[in-house]
Every structure is written in C-alpha cells, then in structure tokens.
C-alpha cells in the first residue's frame, strides 16, 4: 500500500509502472475476503487518468466489476471506459473479460460489442472467445444469433472446432428454450455442409436431447435420421443410432425406417434392445423394481447358489435356467438384460390339444406302479445243467484252459420261486400328491411347448462364477456425478463437506435432478457405490442410468464423504460464495469435468466449465446464463454428454450393452452339448426327483 500511495498514475514519467502496480494490487486483494471497499478506493486512482491513459487499465476495471456492490459512480466510469475500448482497437482486451461479467453489464455493453464482433468476423477473426461473447448475447439480441448462423455458413479451415461447437451449443440452447423447430432445421442444414460435420452433428444431436420432454420427439427423430445419412464414422454413427433408438422407445409407434436400418446393419444387440424395451418408456409412475427383473435366490447361501438345482438351456440369443424351488421359475439371460418369471397352470379347458400334450397329460395322471413285495421259499431243484454231456476226463488236445469255467458251472444251482404276493403301498396324502403332480405336469407341458429338450446344456463346475459375472455386467450406461454445495464464505474442504443441508434453492435443484430413491433392497437400479439407507437423486432412461452423490445427503465425516465424491468423474458445484470456486479446494485426480453454478440473481445462473483435457460437449457451455427452471434438466444432460465425451476419447468406446453382449457370448461358450441320454435325464431330473420325493 505504501508503494501505491507513493507512485501516482498521474505522473507521466512512471504512469505505466504505476498502472501495473495498482492492477496487481487489485488482483491480489481479490483473493482475500473483506477487501472490496479497499479495492474500490484504489480503483479511483486509475479513474483519474485521462481517457487516452486508461487503455492499460482495462483488466483492472473488469476485475473491479467482479466485486460485491461497487459504488454506482465507479461502475459508470468503468463502463464508459469499456465502451470506448470496445469501439477501438482495444476491443480484444475487453473481449477476454466479458464472459465473466454480470447480465446487467453485458446488456449495457451489448450494442457496441455486437457491432465490433461483426467487424471481427468479417476480418476472419473466429476466436473461441469472440464466439462465446456472441453466444452470451444471442438470447436477447437477434444480431448475436445471426452471427452464430453466419459462422456455421463459413466452411473454412480457419475456423477452429471449438468455435463451431460453441456456436452449436448456444443455438441448441435457443432451440430448447423456444422449442424452435424452424431454427433447428436451419442449423441442421448448415452443419451438414461443413467439413467437420460428423463430430458436430453428433454434438448437436446430443444437445437436443431435452426436446423429448416437449412433445417434439418426432422432430428430433427426423433430425437424427438426417444425421445418420451424413455421419460415416462407425463410432459416432453408432452413438447417433443409439440416441435414435432411445428416443423411439418413448413413442407409441416405432419408425419403420429406423427399424429397417437396424435390421439391414445386422445389429442384433439393438434389435433385441428394441424388442425388449419397446413401449416401456417414458417412466412416469414407473416402479423401478419392475425394470430390471432380479432373480430371487431362496434359502441357498452356498457359492453355487446360481446353478444349484437348476437346468440350463441354450436358446441361441438367450440362456435359460429352470428350477422348481417354489413353483416353476424360469430365468432368461440375454445380451439385453436378465428377467425372471414364475409360471402357474391355467385351469381352463383347452379346445384344441395336440396328441403329444394329451399323451403327456394322461401319462402324468397315471397312478404309480404297484410295488411288489416278494416272499418265497427256497427249494433246491434239479439243475438242468446236470443233463448236459460231461467233458471227457482226458483230452487229446486241449488248447483252452477251461477248468475254472467248468468248476463254476458245476457249482451253479437254480432256485425256483413261489408265486409272488402283491402288496399295495399306503396311499399318499391327497393334497401333497396333487401339488407334486401339478408341478410335474406343468414342467412337462412347458418343456414340450417351448421345445427345450434339444437346447439342454452341460455346465462346468466353475459356471457359477461366469453366470455371476454376466449378471453383474450392466446393460445400460451408468453414470455417477458429485453434487457439492458451497455456502457463503466457505473456501475450504472441511467446511464445505460439513454441510448437512443446503439452501431452499439448492434443495429444489437437487429434487429436480431425478427421482429421490433410497439405496437398498427396494432400489433395483444403479447405486453408484452408495451404502444402503442413503437417499440420492436417481434418473433412468431406456439406455442410461445416473445417480447423484449429493454432499449434503451423504452420511459420515469429511473423509467418508470424500470417498464417494472424490471418485466421480464429473463434479457439479453449487456455489453461493462470493469468491470463485477453485478446483484445488477438493483436490482429486478423478474430477475430469468441473461444472460450477454461480447465482447471478434469484432466477439466473452463470455456468463455468473446466476440463482436464480438451473435450467438446453441451448443451451448457462455459459462461452460459441459464434460468433456474431449466437448470436441473440441462445440467443432467450436460453431465451425461460430458461422461460420454470422456468415454469416446478412450480407445475402447463400446457401449455397455455391446460389452454385455461380449460377456454373454463368452458365458455361452462355457456350456457344452451333452449326450442325448444325459440331455433327457437332466431335462426331466427336476420333475422326476420332485415326483419321487
């Protein structure tokens, strides 16, 4: 402070040095709490400079605007200085700081900024920062929207991919906010003409996922099919096709063109996905436990619980297992998922029965054979072998030694039995016998109708491990996201993670992220590693599951909370603090994407996005201003797209369902074709053993 007081910017000899000193002092004080009044006083020394000397003060002026409640007179002088700089060659300096300004400041600077942006784009200045400012001004100014559309019309190598993606994200937000299908069609037609249309089309289609909530699914599917005709890369085309399938599952009618595309490409996994989950979405009032059918293992805690007492069948694209612990229960494992059904027999008169079923029915109702208890008196009778001619005592040539056989025959004596006495067994209890026969008939009829005999397979002793691995392989894409609440004045890890509750606005935001579920036996979806009893927001679609680890909902101390939050790839920070949130506050090597939500007004939020590696995703972009009503849904779509972008950047970018299909084939190869006799005995072992017991 002594240096600031000694060095005055008004002296021409050391004016530049004084400006640099004052600017660094302001930036240093911004990192400290309770220094806003001092910053405002120091800034007045810079405002005393003439307009020609304030060119080097622009960074300090923009920093002062980020403080809390600057005096109106200082605000007016700073905004006047920034307006002069925008219409001059110093515009690029102001451009770097405009995304961090409040909505009110942007509104004041919008008109000169858009005029200068138009000139910059004409001069082939397509920097991401200039496109970002145009994107921020586009919701309230048609000129900004026009600039973004004109940028998409420039099929030039000079335009970086980041500038194109920023323009697409901003236009996608406009389409979602207005439900503007005309703008969507116009943007789509322009993107298809670009050289980098493949990656841009994939990003644009992913940004528009929220249109499914506005009864615009038909328009969205049309755009997706149009994108599939242009995208030739297998990975990106597969992602767009998956999105098309997921969107179609929410419609009452499946598009024939999309189904033909799946069949022509011979995508068996997608075909099974459609057949299994068609007409099951959307999910209002949908019981989560009904989505993934979980096999109920009763009374068996051994290691071979999944294979004990079960017979397995190979039905091509399904592995069936049958057991009769409590009625007839059939478990089907496919590349799409796992489902379990319990069967009971309908006691109705069948008008038409084939001869095989009729014969099996009569055979099942036939009473047991009468056991025979034999009582006899042993009587020694004449042996018929005695009448056989005897061998001579001496043989001229005896090449075969038969003394032992001859001795055995001589010692043999036949016994004649008396007439047998028949004894009927004691009658079984009627209820137990009828129940047993019912299960027996049900299984025989079921096996005959489904032709399971030829598909019976023999399993190795280690098959329990393989089948368990298949059951634990997810068929849907799963994501876990950390949601952290930062109260006012909190700037360290301990105080932030000690919050057990948030503000009313934060709680409303969390409630709208998904369904509030309690992890445990009643929740059959993805738990994200949370222990039983913890409540968390959960959301699921046809191909995606996402659960949010909310810092205020987790139990335990700071260390226990950090175990869940620190392992998440995406962090969403709700900050009510006046100071910017820093990544190193909760340091973790797994946070690849950081999304910070700053509250600018009771209804408006500013978005800040940081990534550890270059990733392109949306619909939210760095610096975007979003209304609180749209915030939860857009944040959810953004974190899912961010996680997918991270996955696509890896070498192995297969979808979870494709990975499950691979595990399914490996599991099926462990089963072997038995002999016909073993197949029949194993197939009917369930009913025969049960009947004999």
């Amino acid at each position: 402070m002594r240096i600031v007081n000694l060095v005055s910017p008004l002296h021409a000899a050391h004016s530049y040095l004084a400006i640099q000193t004052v600017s660094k002092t302001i930036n240093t004080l911004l990192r400290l709490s309770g220094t806003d009044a001092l910053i405002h006083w120091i800034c007045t020394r810079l405002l005393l400079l003439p307009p020609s000397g304030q060119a080097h003060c622009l960074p300090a002026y923009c920093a002062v605007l980020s403080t809390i409640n600057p005096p109106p007179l200082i605000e007016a002088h700073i905004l006047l200085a920034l307006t002069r700089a925008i219409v001059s060659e110093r515009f690029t300096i102001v451009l770097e700081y405009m995304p961090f300004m409040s909505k009110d400041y942007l509104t004041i600077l919008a008109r000169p900024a858009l005029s200068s942006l138009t000139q910059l784009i004409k001069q082939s200045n397509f920097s991401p920062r200039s496109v970002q400012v145009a994107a921020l001004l586009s919701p309230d100014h048609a000129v900004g929207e026009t600039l973004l559309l004109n940028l998409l019309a420039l099929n030039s190598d000079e335009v970086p991919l980041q500038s194109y993606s920023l323009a697409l994200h901003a236009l996608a937000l406009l389409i979602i906010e207005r439900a503007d299908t005309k703008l969507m069609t116009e943007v789509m037609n322009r993107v298809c003409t670009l050289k980098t249309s493949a990656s841009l089309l994939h990003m644009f289609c992913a940004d528009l996922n929220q249109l499914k909530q506005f009864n615009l699914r038909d328009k969205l599917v049309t755009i997706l099919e149009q994108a599939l005709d242009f995208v030739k890369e297998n990975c990106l085309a597969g992602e767009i096709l998956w999105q098309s399938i997921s969107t179609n599952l929410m419609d009452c009618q499946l598009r024939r063109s999309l189904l033909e595309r799946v069949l022509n490409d011979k995508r068996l996994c997608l075909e099974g996905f459609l057949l299994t989950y068609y007409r099951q979405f959307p999910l209002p009032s949908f019981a989560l436990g009904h989505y993934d059918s979980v096999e109920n293992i009763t009374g068996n805690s051994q290691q071979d619980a999944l294979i004990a007492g079960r017979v397995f069948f190979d039905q091509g694209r399904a592995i069936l297992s049958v057991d009769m612990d409590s009625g007839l229960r059939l478990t089907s494992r496919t590349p799409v998922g796992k489902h379990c059904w319990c069967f009971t027999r309908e006691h109705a008169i069948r008008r038409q029965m084939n001869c095989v079923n009729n014969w099996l029915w009569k055979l099942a109702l036939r009473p047991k054979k009468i056991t025979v208890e034999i009582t006899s008196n042993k009587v020694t009778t004449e042996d018929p072998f005695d009448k056989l001619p005897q061998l001579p005592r001496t043989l001229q040539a005896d090449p075969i030694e038969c003394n032992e056989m001859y001795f055995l025959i001589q010692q043999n004596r036949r016994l004649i039995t008396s007439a047998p006495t028949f004894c009927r067994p004691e009658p079984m209890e009627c209820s137990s016998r009828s129940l047993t026969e019912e299960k027996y008939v049900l299984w025989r009829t079921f096996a005959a109708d489904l032709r399971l005999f030829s598909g019976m397979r023999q399993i190795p002793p280690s098959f329990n491990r393989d089948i368990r691995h298949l059951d634990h392989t997810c068929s849907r894409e799963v994501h876990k996201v950390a949601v952290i609440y930062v109260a006012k004045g909190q700037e360290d890890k301990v105080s932030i993670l000690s919050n057990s509750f948030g503000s009313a606005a934060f709680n409303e935001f969390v409630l709208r992220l998904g369904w509030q579920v309690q992890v445990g036996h009643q929740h059959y979806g993805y738990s994200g590693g949370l222990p039983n009893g913890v409540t968390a927001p959960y959301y699921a679609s046809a191909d995606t599951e996402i659960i949010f680890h909310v810092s205020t909902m987790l139990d335990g101390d700071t260390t226990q909370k950090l175990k869940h939050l620190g392992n998440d790839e995406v962090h969403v920070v709700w900050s009510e603090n006046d100071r910017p949130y820093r990544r190193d506050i909760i340091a973790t090597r797994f946070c690849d994407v950081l999304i910070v939500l700053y509250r600018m007004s009771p209804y408006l939020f500013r978005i800040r996005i940081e990534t550890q590696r270059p990733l392109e995703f949306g619909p939210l972009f760095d610096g975007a201003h979003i209304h609180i009503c749209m915030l939860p849904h857009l944040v959810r779509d953004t974190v899912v797209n961010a996680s997918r972008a991270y996955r696509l950047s890896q070498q192995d970018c297969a979808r979870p369902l494709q990975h499950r299909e691979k595990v399914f084939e490996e599991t099926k190869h462990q089963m072997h074709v038995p002999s016909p006799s073993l197949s029949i005995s194993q197939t009917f072992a369930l009913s025969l053993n049960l009947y004999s017991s």
Side-chain angles (χ1 to χ4, degrees), residues 298-559:
T298 58
N300 197 343
S301 59
Q302 301 177 359
Q303 294 295 326
D304 59 346
L306 293 176
I307 62 175
R310 288 163 173 78
V311 179
F312 287 84
F313 301 89
D314 182 7
Q315 295 298 105
R317 298 293 291 177
I319 299 176
L320 304 182
S321 64
V322 181
D323 68 275
M324 300 183 69
D325 293 340
S326 57
L328 177 59
R329 185 172 58 191
L330 174 69
T331 303
S332 172
R333 294 174 174 88
T334 65
V336 178
K338 171 186 174 184
H339 302 274
C340 181
W341 298 276
C342 291
F343 293 87
T344 57
R345 184 175 182 83
E346 291 288 339
H347 295 279
I349 300 176
R350 298 178 60 180
R351 297 182 179 180
Q352 296 181 357
M353 295 181 63
N354 56 50
C355 57
V356 176
N357 287 340
N358 196 10
W359 173 75
L360 290 174
W361 176 259
K362 292 181 180 179
L363 184 64
L365 296 180
R366 182 182 300 176
K368 285 187 175 181
K369 292 184 178 181
I370 301 174
T371 58
V372 179
E373 183 178 335
I374 302 176
T375 59
S376 60
N377 297 323
K378 296 183 179 180
V379 181
T380 303
T381 59
E382 183 181 0
D383 189 356
F385 283 94
D386 292 340
K387 297 182 179 181
L388 294 176
Q390 300 291 328
L391 291 175
R393 297 289 182 182
T394 58
L395 295 175
Q396 297 180 357
D398 190 8
I400 301 176
E401 182 65 29
C402 57
N403 292 333
E404 295 182 1
M405 179 62 67
Y406 180 68
F407 178 76
L408 178 63
I409 294 175
Q410 285 185 335
Q411 296 296 326
N412 185 37
R413 293 292 184 270
R414 294 292 185 266
L415 301 178
I416 298 178
T417 60
S418 61
T421 303
F422 297 96
C423 298
R424 293 185 177 274
E426 297 181 0
M428 300 173 58
E429 295 183 3
C430 181
S431 59
S432 175
R433 179 171 181 174
S434 61
L435 180 61
T436 302
E437 291 180 351
E438 184 71 20
K439 293 181 180 179
Y440 175 69
V441 173
L442 178 61
W443 164 238
R444 292 289 296 269
T445 306
F446 182 81
D449 289 344
L450 267 66
R451 301 180 180 180
L452 298 179
F453 308 118
S454 60
M456 188 270 165
R457 292 295 181 265
Q458 187 176 3
I459 59 175
S462 61
F463 193 68
N464 181 74
R465 179 187 58 199
D466 300 323
I467 206 72
R468 190 181 299 275
H469 176 49
L470 177 62
D471 291 345
H472 290 171
T473 303
C474 298
S475 59
R476 288 187 288 179
E477 195 176 47
V478 294
H479 308 274
K480 54 180 182 177
V481 179
V483 180
I484 303 172
Y485 173 73
V486 180
K488 188 173 183 178
Q490 294 181 341
E491 297 185 5
D492 61 283
K493 177 177 63 176
V494 176
S495 61
I496 292 174
L497 297 183
S498 298
N499 294 324
S500 58
F501 57 89
S503 61
F506 172 75
N507 294 335
E508 180 67 21
F509 167 76
V510 170
L511 287 175
R512 296 177 60 192
L513 284 175
W515 311 305
Q516 301 300 311
V517 299
Q518 187 176 20
V519 178
H521 299 294
Q522 299 299 323
H523 174 61
Y524 296 95
Y526 180 59
S527 62
L530 293 177
N532 292 343
V534 176
T535 303
Y538 169 84
Y539 182 80
S541 64
D543 60 343
T544 305
E545 289 182 276
I546 179 172
I547 192 166
F548 297 89
H549 296 166
V550 184
S551 61
T552 57
M553 293 183 174
L554 296 177
D555 298 329
D557 55 8
T558 302
T559 304

Side-chain angles (χ1 to χ4, degrees), residues 311 456 675-689:
V311 179
M456 188 270 165
S675 61
S677 59
L678 181 60
S679 176
I680 295 175
S681 62
Q682 289 292 329
T683 303
F684 292 100
L686 294 173
S687 57
L688 293 177
N689 293 338

Side-chain angles (χ1 to χ4, degrees), residues 232-245:
K232 303 303 180 183
E233 298 181 19
N234 293 332
C235 186
L236 297 179
E239 289 294 316
I240 298 176
L241 185 58
W242 275 99
Q243 185 181 359
S244 304
I245 297 297

Side-chain angles (χ1 to χ4, degrees), residues 76-149:
H77 281 283
I78 291 177
L79 291 174
L80 180 61
L82 294 179
T83 304
R84 294 196 192 101
I86 287 175
V87 296
S88 66
E89 67 276 1
R90 296 284 182 177
F91 173 55
T92 55
I93 299 177
V94 183
L95 198 65
E96 292 296 323
Y97 297 93
M98 287 188 67
F100 308 103
M101 295 181 182
S102 66
K103 187 71 173 179
D104 295 335
Y105 297 151
L106 287 177
T107 303
I108 296 173
L109 302 175
R111 181 172 296 181
L114 289 172
S115 177
S116 299
L117 281 174
T118 304
Q119 298 299 324
L120 284 178
I121 292 180
K122 288 182 179 180
Q123 298 172 6
S124 301
N125 186 340
F126 312 109
S127 65
R129 186 65 76 190
S130 60
V131 177
Q132 185 181 12
V133 174
L136 291 175
L137 300 176
S138 60
D140 301 321
H141 301 84
V143 179
E145 179 182 339
T146 304
L147 288 175
L148 298 178
L149 290 174

